[in-house]
Amino acid sequence: MSLAVRVIPCLDVDAGRVVKGVHFEHLRDAGDPVELAAEYYRQGADELTFLDVTASSSGRATMLDVVTRTAEQIFIPLTVGGGVRSWEDVDSLLRCGADKVSINTAAIADPALISRIADRFGNQVLVLSVDARRERGERHTVSGFEVTTMGGRHATGIDALWWAKRAQDLGAGEILLNSMDADGTEQGFDLEMIAAMRRRVDIPIIASGGAGRVEDFPPAIKAGANAVLAASVFHFGKVSIAEVKGALQDAGYEVR
């Protein structure tokens, strides 16, 4: 039996506030994370994702407080990412109430970190965030999709599909696939990238980047995603969680 499609609001948190921009720039305030999380829970979100976009040491303390207060308000899975560099960071977040932890840059620097986290906490805890874009300039990856860091500003030269498969083999339980070209544009998900990733990995894929209308969500599932994640369209009231679930149901997908 296929699993129900999940609808996941994403809250980018900076200094204790939710922010949103385009391509991770020109950030604007979108509200209090605990209040927004509670509202999304009431609206029927299946999960929530918090990303600490500054992830400094002071930001880490702020995020732990936000996670603790949010976990007291909601009773759906909460994923937290941003600045996670060790299994000790994962342990701290889980103790504060997170259910899953997303890693990105630290895993690129030290792929064995994936195995250390999965071995200690289980692969269901570990989400690999892949910030991918279509390659540019002189670099040539096999798939044409390249891993980036620093909000898409730093090109790594690593093939995104190869990296996701390696992470799966090392113990990652899920892929959060962020299209850096589409992020914040509200022009639709990168369906070609999702389909290519689906052919490469067996673990669940969360599609992220580019949602602008209700009609954008079902094609992402058809392309191979198991869940859809969005930020701006939810934060600024352009699309509701109920509308997304309705569109998915109308397209023949099971929702929770």
Side-chain angles (χ1 to χ4, degrees), residues 54-78:
T54 47
S56 64
S57 57
S58 59
R60 168 64 53 216
T62 300
M63 185 57 107
L64 291 174
D65 175 62
V66 168
V67 170
T68 299
R69 291 188 291 122
T70 300
E72 295 170 351
Q73 299 273 340
I74 67 170
F75 302 95
I76 52 176
L78 173 62

Side-chain angles (χ1 to χ4, degrees), residues 224-243:
N226 304 89
V228 283
L229 178 147
S232 299
V233 292
F234 291 142
H235 300 340
F236 301 118
K238 294 183 178 180
V239 172
S240 72
I241 292 167
E243 288 171 334

Side-chain angles (χ1 to χ4, degrees), residues 9 11 34-48 70 72-77 241 245:
L11 291 78
V34 180
E35 291 177 3
L36 272 174
E39 179 58 29
Y40 289 139
Y41 173 61
R42 287 192 291 271
Q43 289 182 19
D46 299 306
E47 297 186 10
L48 283 171
T70 300
E72 295 170 351
Q73 299 273 340
I74 67 170
F75 302 95
I76 52 176
I241 292 167
K245 290 193 171 188

Side-chain angles (χ1 to χ4, degrees), residues 132-135 142-145 160-161 177 179 181-182 187-200 205 207-209 216 219-225:
R133 72 177 186 196
R134 292 168 189 272
E135 63 184 11
V142 173
S143 70
F145 298 110
L161 305 191
L177 180 60
S179 170
D181 297 314
Q187 298 299 305
F189 293 96
D190 189 328
L191 304 180
E192 183 184 357
M193 182 189 290
I194 295 167
M197 184 65 76
R198 178 74 288 157
R199 292 190 293 270
R200 196 64 181 266
I205 297 170
S208 170
D216 291 332
I221 303 302
K222 184 177 182 180

Side-chain angles (χ1 to χ4, degrees), residues 118-152:
D119 290 346
R120 184 172 289 267
F121 303 106
N123 64 357
Q124 79 284 349
V125 160
L126 184 55
V127 179
L128 180 78
S129 182
V130 179
D131 291 346
R133 72 177 186 196
R134 292 168 189 272
E135 63 184 11
R136 304 169 186 170
E138 299 301 316
R139 298 181 186 274
H140 294 288
T141 59
V142 173
S143 70
F145 298 110
E146 179 182 17
V147 175
T148 68
T149 58
M150 304 294 292

